[in-house]
Amino acid sequence: MVDIAGVLGSMFSLIIVTILGFIAARVGYLTADIRPKISNLIFNITLPCTVLASVGEVDPSTGGDAITWSIVLGAAIFFVMLVAAAVAVAVLRVPVEQRGLYLFQGVLTNTGFIGFAVLDSVFGGASVFLGSIFIAISNVFLYSLGIAALTSGGASGAEAHRASLAETAHTVLRNMLNVPLVVSLIAMVVFFANIPVPAPIMQAADMTGGITAPLAMMLVGLSIADADLKSVLAEWRLWGFTLIRFLITPLVAYLALAPIVPSELALGVFIVLLAMPTGSMAGPIAATYGQDGDIPARGTIVSTLASFVIVPILMLVMTMA
């Protein structure tokens, strides 16, 4: 399905950029106070440009089948993640008051930052467009059922449930209607309606989107540099959760779906996104809903470090299958 040597080379390149971000943080070029600004730059400008530029790389003759399966798998991926997280919680006997946090960090993954960087490196620009379809669909479930899972346990969860329905609905709607989602929908309209986009616009989108991956990976390096790695790496339950949710689950999913899904590209995107680590926003969002944001924040570091090993393993399995 993919060239494993190329995959390893791509992942190694991402690791190098992450290390550069780590070094930049250590010497003071990157600091925690500018992280929100860079995140907003990526999320609201460079990432949407990446999605728009990817439309031109989808082959119309083969794109229809891949898009159809991307829609189907995009509707399923959230529930696969949620079930996998629930299984991990049960196996690891996570304390009741922490179960919602573990479920949430299992469904809020870093698809937008690391996910698109890996997809573009491994499968090329067309996979970014397919990935945007996955994210557009799964976000509907993430900011509704995902938030419900987060607030499902503990006293703080009960307090969150007492919040006004109007306020909760407003927050969910605001999170769902973000710039990448809107651009993803525009990109799908452009593709299906075969709307010509002026070359200067596509070139500008391609140039701007080109900085998404390096910026995203440097932010990962910044997060690692800011973390107390000694205490984070000692969290055995987070490592067990990462093993079950981010490695075993994608392996089982691939073995189950490979005989069924005819589009190798759509299946590859599904497996890569399924293996993406917990997103950096998991902690802040948890704190917003009155939960302990420290646990998902630690999960972000553990699963991100593990992803540099997990993704090549998954690509190797798909190559050999």
Side-chain angles (χ1 to χ4, degrees), residues 101-192:
L101 290 165
Y102 273 81
L103 291 176
F104 189 60
Q105 67 179 324
V107 298
L108 196 155
T109 56
N110 207 334
T111 52
F113 287 2
I114 300 180
F116 279 7
V118 173
L119 288 177
D120 193 26
S121 298
V122 175
F123 297 116
S127 64
V128 174
F129 176 58
L130 298 183
S132 70
I133 297 176
F134 276 84
I135 294 175
I137 297 174
S138 63
N139 273 359
V140 174
F141 301 110
L142 172 62
Y143 290 111
S144 53
L145 298 179
I147 297 299
L150 171 65
T151 59
S152 61
S156 56
E159 293 174 4
H161 279 302
R162 287 195 291 267
S164 69
L165 181 60
E167 181 181 351
T168 302
H170 174 73
T171 302
V172 170
L173 185 61
R174 182 184 62 201
N175 287 328
M176 286 171 54
L177 295 178
N178 50 59
V179 177
L181 175 60
V182 173
V183 174
S184 297
L185 296 176
I186 293 173
M188 282 187 271
V189 171
V190 168
F191 178 81
F192 284 114

Side-chain angles (χ1 to χ4, degrees), residues 205-249:
D206 186 54
M207 291 174 60
T208 305
I211 68 174
T212 299
L215 278 181
M217 301 316 295
M218 283 193 170
L219 279 187
V220 172
L222 172 60
S223 297
I224 295 173
D226 284 346
D228 180 2
L229 286 181
K230 185 176 180 180
S231 62
V232 171
L233 297 180
E235 295 277 357
W236 68 268
R237 187 171 274 123
L238 285 175
W239 284 105
F241 183 84
T242 297
L243 177 66
I244 296 172
R245 165 61 188 85
F246 298 105
L247 177 58
I248 295 177
T249 299

